[in-house]
């Protein structure tokens, strides 16, 4: 419905109440409706799921149309990110949000900072999703509110051209609400627990759930040691639980991202159930590190399996965990991904130990032999030392090409002494084009950085503290923060407006007319930023 159509329909509704609703202004109602386009989280989930499906189809047709996101740990961070994207690029197209379980654990748990081991309250995840979308919806209300004020000013000035331009802009308004890929960790329990949490996350607005194949009670950060995977049937039960949650809630095109940690996980808690040779359970067990049993008297309380007609004992650690054979990680990743895609997953996530395009592509090529349109979500992780990794990749490429590398020490390439060198410049260029190149070569549909705003918050706070509490004093804030906000057009320099004071004033005027006591008058110090 267009802005003008909504006004006309609402005016008819008001008139039908025979004067008792005459205190209600039809245009004010239309404005409030536009500022509250998404009335529930499910409205958001359905809207954003459709966006992701269109983007996935566009990527299949053209890998240059990959998507991106940054992890956000607070609604304000997400809001400012999307405001910035609209300011700099004019569109939110192919830009999403990522909700990191790591950041929920480290920053949003009532227990205080926790490691990424699923120890935080599971309810904190849907609560953060709801918070993110509350702030994005408020960004819509704020921006539309400013457009409505400009519309009123154009009318007051009799500028019909500007009035019509603004009405067209209002009708074509692009929301700050974008898809969110939300981390459900390993499901926080059994499949029923996963289903219950998935419902809460979807009801809060999540259109895409990312779930990993680690065991819930031994879950580790993807970039730490000691990861333990589960047999495929256990994991696929949780994938189905997520799909049931989407379907129950009417989000029929919800997205499931299945993450495999098998590349870095050398342990399993269970021997998989196998009903016949070559099934998923048998394939999973085939990677176990075993030794042949030749003397039954040597085993006591051990598990034994049949492998090719031989009785084999999987190696069990004192922790009661079983060990995979060394060097099988990539094969297990490929098997995990194919099994997931054949059982309802939409996108894959392969957690790697370094950002190396050919390593990722090697696995994706094997997956695509079975599932040709397989696509990845990839973690451009702050846990990687990007500078060192790419300088070493260039060093190795130069060695392979027979180029002289005598001026460089491979083990010390992180040193500032190498900044500005030919090798460092080539490495930086590879980092700059990594997402584009990986999207084209390695099937990566979505690039995200899990924890960027955790690091930027720390860095900016460190810079301010150093200056403000040092010799610069107040100039440390004014020069390092406020002056930049003003000159770079950062929306929150007008922090009263950002927090909703102008929206509140508009509502006061709707409700009380000329009697409204508004905050945005001549004595509001925010007016100092009008220029």
């Amino acid at each position: 419905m267009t802005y003008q159509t909504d006004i006309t329909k609402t005016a008819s509704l008001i008139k039908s109440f025979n004067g008792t609703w005459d205190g209600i202004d039809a245009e004010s109602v239309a404005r409030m409706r536009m500022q509250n386009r998404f009335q529930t989280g499910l409205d958001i989930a359905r809207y954003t799921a459709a966006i992701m499906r269109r983007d996935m189809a566009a990527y299949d047709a053209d890998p240059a149309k990959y998507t991106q996101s940054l992890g956000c740990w607070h609604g304000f961070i997400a809001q400012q990110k999307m405001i910035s994207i609209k300011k700099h690029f004019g569109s939110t197209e192919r830009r999403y949000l990522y909700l990191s379980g790591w950041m929920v654990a480290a920053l949003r748990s009532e227990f205080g900072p926790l490691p990424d081991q699923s120890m935080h309250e599971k309810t904190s995840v849907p609560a953060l999703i709801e918070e993110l979308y509350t702030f994005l919806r408020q960004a819509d209300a704020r921006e539309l509110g400013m457009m409505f004020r400009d519309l009123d000013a154009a009318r007051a000035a009799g500028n019909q051209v500007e009035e019509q331009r603004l009405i067209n802009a209002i009708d074509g308004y692009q929301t700050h609400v974008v898809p969110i890929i939300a981390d459900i960790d390993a499901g926080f329990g059994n499949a029923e627990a996963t289903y219950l949490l998935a419902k809460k996350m979807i009801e809060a607005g999540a259109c895409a759930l990312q779930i990993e194949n680690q065991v819930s009670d031994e879950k580790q950060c993807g970039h730490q040691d000691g990861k333990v995977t589960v047999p495929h049937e256990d994991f696929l039960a949780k994938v189905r639980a997520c799909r049931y949650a989407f379907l129950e809630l009417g989000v029929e095109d919800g997205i499931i991202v299945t993450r495999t940690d098998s590349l870095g996980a050398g342990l399993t808690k269970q021997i998989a159930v196998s009903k016949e040779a070559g099934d998923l359970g048998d394939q999973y067990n085939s990677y176990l590190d075993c030794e042949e049993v030749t003397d039954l008297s040597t085993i006591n309380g051990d598990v034994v399996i049949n492998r090719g007609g031989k009785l084999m004992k999987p190696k069990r650690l004192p922790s009661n965990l079983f060990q995979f054979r060394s060097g099988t990680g990539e094969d297990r990743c490929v098997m995990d991904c194919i099994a997931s895609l054949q059982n309802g997953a939409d996108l894959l996530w392969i957690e790697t130990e370094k950002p190396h395009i050919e390593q990722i592509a090697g696995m994706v090529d094997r997956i695509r032999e079975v599932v040709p349109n397989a696509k990845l979500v990839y973690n451009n992780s702050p846990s990687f030392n990007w500078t060192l990794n790419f300088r070493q990749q260039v060093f190795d490429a130069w060695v392979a090409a027979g180029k002289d590398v005598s001026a460089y020490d491979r083990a010390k390439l992180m040193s500032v002494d190498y900044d500005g060198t030919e090798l460092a410049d080539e490495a930086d260029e590879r980092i700059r084009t990594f997402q584009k190149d990986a999207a084209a070569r390695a099937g990566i549909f979505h690039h995200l950085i899990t924890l960027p705003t955790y690091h930027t918050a720390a860095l900016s706070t460190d810079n301010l503290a150093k200056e403000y509490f040092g010799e610069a004093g107040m100039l440390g804030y004014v020069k390092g923060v406020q002056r930049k906000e003003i000159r770079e057009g950062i929306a929150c320099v007008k922090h009263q407006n950002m927090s909703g004071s102008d929206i509140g004033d508009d509502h006061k005027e709707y409700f009380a007319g000329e009697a409204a006591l508004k905050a945005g008058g001549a004595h509001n110090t925010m007016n100092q930023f009008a220029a």
Side-chain angles (χ1 to χ4, degrees), residues 108-341:
R108 302 303 301 263
S109 171
E110 292 186 8
F111 294 109
L114 293 172
D116 184 19
Q117 296 173 351
S118 291
M119 296 188 291
H120 53 283
E121 313 89 337
K122 65 174 74 174
T123 53
S124 61
V125 183
L128 179 53
I129 296 169
E130 182 177 5
E131 176 183 294
L132 294 173
Y133 281 126
T134 296
F135 273 79
L136 294 187
R137 290 164 65 215
Q138 193 263 2
D140 282 359
R142 168 189 168 272
E143 189 171 42
L144 282 163
M146 293 190 294
M147 294 170 74
F148 296 147
R149 287 177 176 224
D150 290 343
L151 177 61
D152 291 340
R155 286 171 174 169
N159 189 339
Q160 294 182 351
V161 173
E162 178 64 3
E163 177 184 357
Q164 190 57 53
R165 185 194 71 79
L166 284 163
I167 289 174
N168 291 340
I170 290 165
D171 284 340
Y173 181 77
Q174 185 181 48
T175 176
H176 293 83
V177 170
V178 296
I180 184 168
I181 298 175
D183 187 357
I184 197 171
D185 277 29
F188 287 87
N190 62 14
E192 176 70 8
T194 302
Y195 154 76
L196 293 171
L197 178 56
K199 281 183 61 178
K200 288 294 184 184
M201 293 170 71
I202 297 163
E203 287 170 341
C207 72
L209 303 179
Q210 169 227 322
I211 186 165
E212 60 203 61
N213 69 335
Q214 291 191 51
V215 64
S216 291
D217 59 347
E218 299 285 354
K219 183 259 190 296
Q220 291 278 25
C221 172
H223 293 278
Q224 292 182 320
D225 204 358
K227 292 187 288 184
V228 183
T229 63
V230 297
H232 293 89
E233 288 302 335
D234 295 46
F235 180 61
L236 295 175
K238 293 184 178 182
V239 173
R240 287 190 289 271
C242 292
R243 181 63 67 202
Y244 272 108
F246 274 124
L247 293 173
E248 178 184 340
L249 295 172
V251 186
E252 295 183 359
D253 50 1
I255 288 91
I256 298 174
V257 183
T258 52
R259 173 176 135 182
T260 172
D261 280 280
S262 290
L263 197 61
L267 303 170
T268 183
K269 195 167 188 177
Q270 297 165 272
I271 306 294
V273 173
S274 173
K275 296 179 181 178
E276 59 183 42
D279 64 13
L280 268 179
D282 190 43
Q283 292 179 59
Y284 187 81
N285 294 340
S286 71
Y287 294 108
L288 292 169
D289 192 0
C290 299
E291 55 188 22
E292 186 177 357
V293 178
T294 57
D295 182 357
L296 293 177
S297 67
T298 62
I299 59 174
N300 181 40
D302 284 311
V303 174
V304 293
I305 62 174
N306 172 28
R307 180 179 289 173
K310 295 180 180 179
L311 203 59
M312 308 292 289
K313 181 178 75 170
K315 290 183 180 177
R316 184 158 55 179
L317 305 179
S319 60
N320 205 30
L321 299 171
F322 297 96
Q323 183 174 294
F324 288 113
R325 295 196 313 278
S326 178
T328 63
E330 288 201 8
D331 290 339
R332 287 184 282 121
C333 277
V334 171
M335 181 174 65
D336 295 343
C337 292
I338 292 171
S340 291
L341 291 174

Side-chain angles (χ1 to χ4, degrees), residues 411-464:
K412 298 179 180 178
L413 287 175
M414 184 65 199
S415 171
V416 67
D417 295 338
Y418 293 121
D419 289 1
T421 63
E422 183 186 0
L423 184 146
D425 289 346
E426 183 174 330
D428 281 355
E429 179 62 13
R430 289 192 183 196
I431 293 170
R432 187 185 72 81
T433 64
F434 174 80
Q435 295 188 341
K436 174 177 68 69
D437 295 341
R441 171 68 186 95
I444 298 177
F445 159 73
H446 185 77
H447 283 278
L448 60 89
I449 308 178
T450 44
L451 320 175
T453 53
Y454 175 89
H455 292 278
T456 54
L459 179 62
S460 61
T461 302
D462 178 80
N463 289 335
L464 176 59

Side-chain angles (χ1 to χ4, degrees), residues 345-475:
D346 301 292
L347 295 168
L348 304 170
W349 174 318
I350 300 175
E351 194 77 333
T352 67
E353 82 287 359
K354 60 182 179 292
H356 193 292
I357 291 175
E358 285 306 315
Q359 179 199 34
I360 304 162
M363 290 183 278
V364 172
D365 287 345
R366 293 171 61 189
I367 297 164
R368 284 183 162 179
E369 289 176 4
V370 182
V371 186
N373 68 339
K375 293 179 284 296
L376 267 64
V377 170
Y378 188 70
N379 178 8
N380 293 229
S381 177
S383 293
F384 302 146
N385 185 332
W386 286 77
T387 301
L388 179 60
N389 265 291
F390 276 83
R391 288 182 180 183
Q392 289 181 339
Q393 287 179 37
V394 172
F395 181 96
D396 294 341
W398 283 8
V399 169
K403 190 168 182 176
D404 181 17
V405 294
S406 59
Y408 303 96
D409 183 341
R410 190 181 188 280
K412 298 179 180 178
L413 287 175
M414 184 65 199
S415 171
V416 67
D417 295 338
Y418 293 121
D419 289 1
T421 63
E422 183 186 0
L423 184 146
D425 289 346
E426 183 174 330
D428 281 355
E429 179 62 13
R430 289 192 183 196
I431 293 170
R432 187 185 72 81
T433 64
F434 174 80
Q435 295 188 341
K436 174 177 68 69
D437 295 341
R441 171 68 186 95
I444 298 177
F445 159 73
H446 185 77
H447 283 278
L448 60 89
I449 308 178
T450 44
L451 320 175
T453 53
Y454 175 89
H455 292 278
T456 54
L459 179 62
S460 61
T461 302
D462 178 80
N463 289 335
L464 176 59
K466 177 178 66 176
E467 296 296 321
Y468 177 74
F469 293 103
E471 289 298 315
M474 191 58 196
L475 184 61

